[in-house]
């Protein structure tokens, strides 16, 4: 057993076996926030949704905002990891696991939000017993559960070889690993089957991920509300989701790189590549936002303009312009400038984007509801303590879930790193040889 | 099968708001606390909207509009309901099934008339008010959506009465509370498909208009515009 304990990737296993005081302190603090949120939710269950700041006409608030936001973050994972795997980007190896874990955890949290928002959560099974497939809410229910199923399998499959490694090391949680490893022993046949399954899933998971956020946007897009009834919403939401997903991924990677000393695995170049992706998404987001609001403004329909003015110059203007700063100005400044595109700079941009994308959901949902078509007084929405503490609880539960995962499984795919070390150079050389036109270049690469 | 509808003559309307008050009493609509009312949680099945003010203080002439559920023939609320808690009956009334509603409030978000209200809290009233509840209408629990039903319980009662007396339902047998109480007789209610009913005759008036007809919701609550002097 002692032989097993030395491994050049030992640092990846260390968090599983060693836990510092700081970890417990942080976990306790986060758990306290989650428990507080839970207490507030029970209060809401007892007294009714009146405990929130929602009213008429603003009948949706923080919960629906968080729902869209968290599901958006979930696109970090599966989609990015699937696309990087599919495009054979070698730098993906230390990233994919974390991305997939984000998806798994955030989907559970995000998926719970519509339930928190229900006036009668005790009747949730009505959705199954007498659900109407004509309602976009049912589409949503279906697609989010399909996405959760696909992405948790997509997280689990590439985890199997690592679980087998953990099982062979013995010690903590030995029995759990034995069950979860499914008798994987790394034989050629098993490896081949696993790779095939991963390949099928990664292709399958991309359309599911795209459909999930499209359908979430349709909850709004299918209604007649000014500001919501727009054909651009599907792609706009998908772009926003990937955008916030990458930003969340960068934040998580930087945090755990520091906490678990993964500097040797997550190098600056990984962040620079992700930073470039983030920049591209920022420009795309701006393009969609610009196109959406310009058409509204040019058409100048009175009910649409009421919402438009409310966002641009009315009560929501500070939030709107803060969103533009967070989602476009700050990321572009930090990511387009070589001097500022350091890990610190990329982290700043990512934090701005996560805040900005949350604001974007706020700005899409509340102003449309606050400005009804008929001459009702403009709605006012101020979130209550219940809603704020449940948002905090959602974020805390996410961090806590991630920390918990890191104590059971390696946050970086060990077998994929090993495989990369063993085979990548040869594979990439072969691939390059296929691309390049003359035999002269081949020699150059072989010599190098 | 009849198709019930309503026409409100704004020329006759005196803005006394008796329809709004009687509606709350008739249908046991929850009376919320002052703080909640200020937050925008006052519950009305029929509401008085102020479109415009004319003149200067103190000689103001507000231009108002009594608005209830429009009982659309193409209701956008039932389209989005995930559990069929709201549906259109054969007689055209858009009804709510309270025990089915999960309280997602999607119908509220999709109603272009903002006609639906939500029970944010449990209905708790002083004993005196509870004693005066209308026994024909259920008190709704917290966490569900409700709205104007054209006093559907009155239709039920009238039908049974007519059946017991072996006769057909007459127009005056079934009138919602607001139409009955209106002292100016500004509210006409009846069968739109019956060419002889008062309401279908009034529908032909050149002053007739409906709210947001351009959305294609085909509202069955319509108006006769006020004539300016």
């Amino acid at each position: 057993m002692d032989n097993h304990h030395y491994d050049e990737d030992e640092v990846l296993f260390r968090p599983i076996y060693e836990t510092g005081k700081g970890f417990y302190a942080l976990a306790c603090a986060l758990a306290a926030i989650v428990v507080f949120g839970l207490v507030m939710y029970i209060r809401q269950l007892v007294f009714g949704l009146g405990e929130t700041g929602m009213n008429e006409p603003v009948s949706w608030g923080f919960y629906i905002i968080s729902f869209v936001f968290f599901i958006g973050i979930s696109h970090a994972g599966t989609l990015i990891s699937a696309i990087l795997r599919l495009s054979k980007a070698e730098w993906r190896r230390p990233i994919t696991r974390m991305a997939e874990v984000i998806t798994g955890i955030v989907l559970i949290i995000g998926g719970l939000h519509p339930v928190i928002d229900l006036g009668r959560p005790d009747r949730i099974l009505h959705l199954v017993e007498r659900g109407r497939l004509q309602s976009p809410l049912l589409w949503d229910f279906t697609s989010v559960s399909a996405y959760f199923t696909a992405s948790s399998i997509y997280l689990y499959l590439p985890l199997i070889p690592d679980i087998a490694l953990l099982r062979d090391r013995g010690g903590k949680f030995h029995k759990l690993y034995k069950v979860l490893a499914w008798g994987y022993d790394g034989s050629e046949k098993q490896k081949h089957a696993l790779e095939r399954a991963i390949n099928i899933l990664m292709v399958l998971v991309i359309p599911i991920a795209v459909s999930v956020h499209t359908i979430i946007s349709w909850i709004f897009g299918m209604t007649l509300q000014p500001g919501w009834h727009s054909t651009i919403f599907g792609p706009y939401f998908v772009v926003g989701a990937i955008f916030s997903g990458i930003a969340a991924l960068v934040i998580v990677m930087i945090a755990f790189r520091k906490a678990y000393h993964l500097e040797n695995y997550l190098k600056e170049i990984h962040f620079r590549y992700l930073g470039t992706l983030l920049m591209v998404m920022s420009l795309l987001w701006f393009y969609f936002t610009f196109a959406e609001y310009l058409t509204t403004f040019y058409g100048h329909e009175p009910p649409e303009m009421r919402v438009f003015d409310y966002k641009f110059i009315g009560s929501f203007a500070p939030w709107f312009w803060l969103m533009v700063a967070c989602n476009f100005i700050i990321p572009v400044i930090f990511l387009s400038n070589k001097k500022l595109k350091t890990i610190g700079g990329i982290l700043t941009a990512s934090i701005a984007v996560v805040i900005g994308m949350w604001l974007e959901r706020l700005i899409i949902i509340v102003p449309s509801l606050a400005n009804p078509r008929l001459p009702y007084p403009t709605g006012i929405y101020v979130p209550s303590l219940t809603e704020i503490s449940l948002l905090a609880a959602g974020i805390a539960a996410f961090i806590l879930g991630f920390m918990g995962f890191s104590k059971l499984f390696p946050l970086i795919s060990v077998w994929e790193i090993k495989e990369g070390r063993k085979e990548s150079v040869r594979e990439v050389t072969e691939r390059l040889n296929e691309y390049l036109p003359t035999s002269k270049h081949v020699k150059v690469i072989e010599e190098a | 099968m009849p198709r019930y509808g309503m026409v409100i003559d704004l020329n006759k309307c005196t803005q006394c708001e008796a329809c709004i008050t009687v509606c709350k009493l008739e249908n046991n609509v929850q009376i919320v606390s002052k703080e909640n009312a200020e937050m925008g949680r006052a519950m009305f099945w029929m509401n008085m909207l102020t479109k415009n003010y004319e003149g200067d203080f103190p000689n103001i002439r507000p231009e108002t509009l009594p608005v209830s559920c429009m009982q659309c023939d193409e209701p956008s609320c039932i389209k989005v309901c995930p559990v069929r808690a709201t549906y259109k009956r054969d007689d055209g009334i858009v009804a709510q099934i309270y025990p089915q509603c999960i309280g997602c409030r999607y119908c509220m978000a999709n109603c272009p008339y903002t006609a639906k209200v939500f029970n944010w809290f449990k209905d708790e009233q002083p004993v005196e008010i509870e004693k005066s509840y209308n026994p024909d209408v259920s008190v709704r629990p917290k966490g569900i959506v409700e709205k104007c039903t054209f006093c559907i319980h009155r239709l039920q009662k009238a039908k049974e009465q007519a059946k017991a007396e072996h006769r057909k339902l007459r127009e005056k047998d079934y009138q919602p509370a607001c139409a009955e109480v209106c002292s100016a007789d500004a509210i006409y209610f009846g069968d739109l498909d019956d060419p002889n009913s008062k309401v279908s005759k009034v529908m032909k008036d050149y002053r007739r208009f409906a709210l947001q007809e351009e959305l294609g919701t085909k509202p069955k609550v319509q108006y006769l515009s006020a004539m300016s002097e």
Side-chain angles (χ1 to χ4, degrees), chain B residues 31-58:
Chain B
I31 299 164
V32 305
S33 68
K34 186 169 168 274
E35 298 82 53
N36 277 303
E38 277 166 0
M39 277 179 78
R41 288 168 176 174
M43 295 174 73
F44 294 107
W45 284 12
M46 186 163 222
N47 208 339
M48 191 70 95
L49 296 191
T50 309
K51 276 164 77 181
N52 219 340
Y53 289 102
E54 261 174 49
D56 295 317
F57 184 79

Side-chain angles (χ1 to χ4, degrees), chain A residues 4-5 7 9-18 162-163 165-166 169 262 406 409-412 414-415 418:
Chain A
H4 284 294
H5 268 245
D7 190 321
D9 296 315
E10 188 58 35
V11 68
L12 299 181
F13 290 112
R14 203 176 292 151
I16 300 170
Y17 301 105
E18 291 165 20
D162 280 3
I163 299 175
L165 286 176
L166 284 164
R169 292 170 145 248
L262 304 173
S406 75
F409 307 107
L411 277 183
I412 288 178
V414 180
W415 70 278
K418 288 189 193 301

